[in-house]
């Protein structure tokens, strides 16, 4: 079925992806509708945007899963939101094929297309990883990781087999970027709280292992704070393996490149990201690592250096030059700070292009980095000022409370932070929520 997303008087803007880039670009375009009429369409498989920086707090139980998601249909009042996936883009004919959640296919014509597909977890064909591992890029993965840790502790408390007990109480993280470190810290604290509820378990039995192929953790916070972070993790009993990779994890038996073998009940993979593979089904030009190549006004750049004036990209799936860096070529890292700022400027540039006005050029000097390693502990590097411990943790929460989209979500998150210390946190594993029909199926005769 072919659908014209254009009209005789209004240009059509198609936004592919509903993450940071998609949501903030749509918001920016909606603000300009009074002066620059447009037909705005956004396509996103899940139907909601996820604020990923707070996923570790979801895993730790400090933020409710629904509070880090923004329903796109509700947030975007003047955008046609399609819950589905883009299966192809033809930039020559300015057409995109969309498959909705109802299984219907549509061809959308556009005047401008925004590529905001973001990134996905980068994995390798490691034996056992597909069967035993879980990523930490979505709210569903954060909820699962939390519930699985709690289930493994319950299993350890019930088993009479020492080997099963030891395996259940062993948790392996692969990847030591600050997202992985934040998630590990939260889940490690969670495991300690959970173990305290079982008289026959001890915190000394918990084993947390971090596997990192480089020689440092959390490099995003800078060398000095990365060293502090390493010391903080080691003070908390985390076994850190530098310059090490995971060779296999069949049946939960983690085999490392240093020759050691670690039976683990939980394996979390946080070893980097890559551009969304949906880009493989488009003819959008890309760089050597799979990112969409753009200029600093976010227009897609072809291999010959010419610009596709109908195609735009920003965020984690785009390769944007950092013009403020002393050493060139340099590119902006994939993080929420850049994605939000790029999306806002890109929206203004699309409007300017429609109106025939000059485009802005993106030159953003990083504000810094904030990281939380559990309640009361964190690291922050704000414009070169380095802070650790409780003040850094407060900075982390303050920044993300401000950055979280929509006023309602901000209030819900802050309210949770305020009330959490006044009540006992829930330690109920909710893994069965991912398979809610299992109990019903078991009770229903064939």
């Amino acid at each position: 079925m072919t659908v014209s997303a254009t009209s005789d008087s209004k240009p059509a803007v198609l936004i592919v992806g509903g993450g940071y880039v998609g949501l903030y670009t749509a918001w920016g375009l909606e603000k300009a509708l009074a002066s620059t009429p447009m037909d705005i369409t956004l396509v996103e498989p899940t139907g909601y945007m996820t604020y990923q920086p707070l996923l570790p707090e979801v895993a730790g139980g400090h933020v409710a899963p629904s509070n880090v998601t923004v329903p796109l249909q509700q947030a975007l009042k003047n955008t046609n939101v399609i819950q589905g996936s883009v299966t192809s883009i033809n930039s020559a004919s300015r057409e995109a094929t969309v498959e909705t959640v109802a299984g219907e296919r549509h061809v959308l014509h556009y005047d401008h297309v925004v590529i905001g597909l973001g990134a996905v977890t980068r994995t390798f064909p490691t034996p056992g990883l597909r069967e035993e591992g879980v990523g930490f890029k979505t709210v569903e993965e954060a909820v699962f990781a939390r519930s699985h840790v709690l289930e493994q502790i319950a299993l350890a408390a019930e088993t009479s087999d020492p080997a099963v007990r030891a395996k259940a109480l062993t948790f392996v993280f692969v990847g030591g970027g600050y997202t992985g470190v934040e998630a590990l810290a939260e889940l490690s604290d969670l495991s300690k709280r959970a173990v305290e509820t079982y008289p026959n378990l001890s915190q000394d039995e918990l084993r947390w292992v971090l596997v990192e192929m480089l020689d440092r953790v959390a490099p995003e916070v800078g060398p000095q704070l990365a060293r502090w972070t390493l010391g903080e993790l080691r003070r908390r009993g985390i076994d850190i393996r530098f310059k090490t990779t995971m060779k296999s994890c069949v049946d939960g038996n983690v085999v490392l490149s240093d020759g050691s073998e670690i039976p683990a009940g939980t394996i979390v993979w946080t070893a980097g990201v890559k551009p969304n593979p949906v880009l493989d089904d488009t003819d959008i030009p890309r760089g050597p690592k799979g990112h969409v190549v753009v200029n600093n006004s976010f227009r897609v750049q072809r291999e010959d250096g010419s610009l596709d004036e109908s195609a735009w990209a920003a965020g984690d799936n785009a390769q944007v030059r950092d013009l403020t860096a002393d050493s060139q070529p340099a590119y902006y890292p994939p993080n929420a700070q850049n994605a939000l700022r790029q999306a806002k400027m890109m929206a203004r540039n699309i409007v300017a292009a429609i109106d025939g006005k000059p485009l802005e050029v993106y030159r953003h000097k990083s504000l810094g980095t904030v990281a939380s390693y559990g309640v009361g502990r964190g690291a922050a590097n704000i414009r070169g000022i380095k802070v650790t411990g409780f003040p850094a943790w407060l900075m982390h929460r303050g920044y993300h409370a401000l950055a979280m989209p929509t006023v309602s979500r901000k209030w819900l998150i802050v309210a949770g932070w305020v009330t959490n210390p006044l009540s006992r946190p829930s330690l109920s594993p909710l893994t069965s929520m991912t398979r809610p029909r299992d109990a019903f199926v078991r009770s229903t005769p064939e």
Side-chain angles (χ1 to χ4, degrees):
M1 178 180 179
T2 301
V3 177
S4 176
T6 64
S7 67
D8 293 335
S9 59
K10 294 190 290 186
V13 181
L14 173 63
I15 302 172
V16 183
Y20 306 106
V21 170
L23 177 61
Y24 280 88
T25 300
W27 268 340
L29 295 176
E30 287 188 343
K31 290 177 182 177
L33 285 175
S35 59
T36 306
M38 294 169 278
D39 285 324
I40 310 167
T41 300
L42 185 148
V43 182
E44 163 61 36
T46 65
Y48 55 84
M49 175 264 192
T50 300
Y51 190 74
Q52 294 174 349
L54 288 180
L55 291 183
E57 295 224 19
V58 171
H62 312 300
V63 176
S66 61
N67 290 347
V68 299
T69 64
V70 178
L72 297 170
Q73 199 78 48
Q74 184 179 357
L76 299 171
K77 304 300 184 184
N78 296 294
T79 297
N80 176 30
V81 177
I82 299 175
Q83 190 170 347
S85 302
V86 170
T87 58
S88 69
I89 296 176
N90 187 322
S91 59
S93 62
R94 297 188 180 183
E95 291 181 339
T97 302
V98 175
E99 183 172 343
T100 70
V101 291
E104 299 175 355
R105 284 180 175 267
H106 305 286
V107 177
L108 302 181
H109 298 279
Y110 61 82
D111 295 297
H112 296 272
V113 64
V114 174
I115 310 299
L117 290 164
V120 300
T121 302
R122 180 189 62 193
T123 58
F124 305 100
T126 304
L129 179 59
R130 185 183 182 92
E131 295 78 16
E132 303 294 334
V134 63
F136 204 85
K137 196 79 172 62
T138 68
V139 66
E140 293 84 0
E141 288 175 327
V143 172
F144 176 85
R146 170 184 171 81
S147 295
H148 187 71
V149 166
L150 295 174
E151 279 194 337
Q152 289 298 298
I153 292 170
L155 170 63
E158 296 299 330
T159 185
S160 59
D161 187 327
V164 172
R165 181 183 178 115
K167 181 178 180 179
L169 295 176
T170 300
F171 312 87
V172 174
F173 262 73
V174 182
Y178 83 98
T179 299
V181 172
E182 285 184 313
L184 182 152
E186 287 284 5
L187 289 170
S188 173
D189 285 352
L190 173 71
S191 69
K192 292 175 182 177
R193 295 196 302 269
V195 161
E196 287 299 305
T197 65
Y198 293 95
N200 61 331
L201 295 181
S202 165
Q203 290 188 7
D204 294 337
E205 296 178 85
L206 292 169
R207 184 183 184 189
W208 286 83
V209 182
L210 176 60
V211 179
E212 170 55 50
M213 68 180 297
L214 301 179
D215 59 355
R216 58 191 182 277
V217 295
E220 299 89 343
V221 298
Q224 181 179 333
L225 290 179
R227 289 192 293 272
W228 181 88
T229 299
L230 175 61
E232 171 69 15
L233 294 178
R234 284 179 168 162
R235 281 191 294 274
R236 293 159 75 169
I238 309 299
D239 178 3
I240 301 173
R241 308 291 182 96
F242 283 134
K243 296 184 177 180
T244 305
T245 59
M246 184 174 73
K247 309 297 287 184
S248 67
C249 57
V250 177
D251 295 328
N253 187 41
V254 175
V255 179
L256 302 180
S257 59
D258 62 7
S260 58
E261 296 188 17
I262 304 172
T266 304
I267 301 168
V268 182
W269 183 274
T270 57
V273 297
K274 64 180 181 180
N276 197 311
V278 172
L279 288 167
D280 296 341
D281 297 319
T282 74
D283 63 354
I284 301 296
R286 290 189 287 163
K289 294 185 178 180
H291 299 81
V292 179
V293 179
V294 298
N295 69 2
N296 277 68
S297 295
F298 310 112
R299 270 187 159 151
V300 172
Q301 186 170 320
R302 301 186 182 96
E303 292 183 9
D304 61 4
S306 64
L307 300 177
D308 183 343
E309 296 190 354
S310 69
W312 310 75
D316 294 1
N317 66 186
Q319 182 175 282
V320 183
R321 287 281 293 270
D322 182 356
L323 300 178
T324 68
D326 295 330
S327 179
Q328 295 292 338
Y331 299 93
Y332 287 103
N335 59 35
Q337 181 182 150
N338 282 304
L340 267 60
R341 284 167 173 78
Q342 290 171 8
K344 291 178 179 180
M345 182 181 288
M346 182 167 59
R348 295 195 298 270
N349 280 347
I350 293 172
V351 173
I354 293 172
D355 293 341
K357 297 178 180 179
L359 308 186
E360 299 178 50
V361 175
Y362 188 72
R363 292 174 179 270
H364 171 64
K365 194 74 174 177
S366 174
L367 300 176
T369 305
V370 290
S372 170
Y373 304 141
V375 175
R377 291 168 288 189
N381 184 347
I382 309 298
R383 297 290 196 184
I385 300 174
K386 301 171 181 63
V387 184
T388 60
F390 187 77
W393 175 73
L394 285 179
M395 289 179 181
H396 173 272
R397 285 201 161 179
Y399 173 80
H400 289 299
L402 291 173
M404 181 69 203
T406 77
V407 173
S408 64
R409 290 301 186 273
K410 295 178 194 291
W411 280 113
L412 287 169
I413 288 170
V414 172
W417 284 339
V418 171
T419 58
N420 281 345
L422 305 177
S423 61
R424 280 184 158 184
S426 172
L427 295 174
S428 300
L430 300 176
T431 308
S432 59
M433 288 181 64
T434 63
R435 302 182 302 273
R437 295 184 67 251
D438 284 1
F440 179 76
V441 171
R442 286 194 299 268
S443 64
T444 303
E446 296 185 4

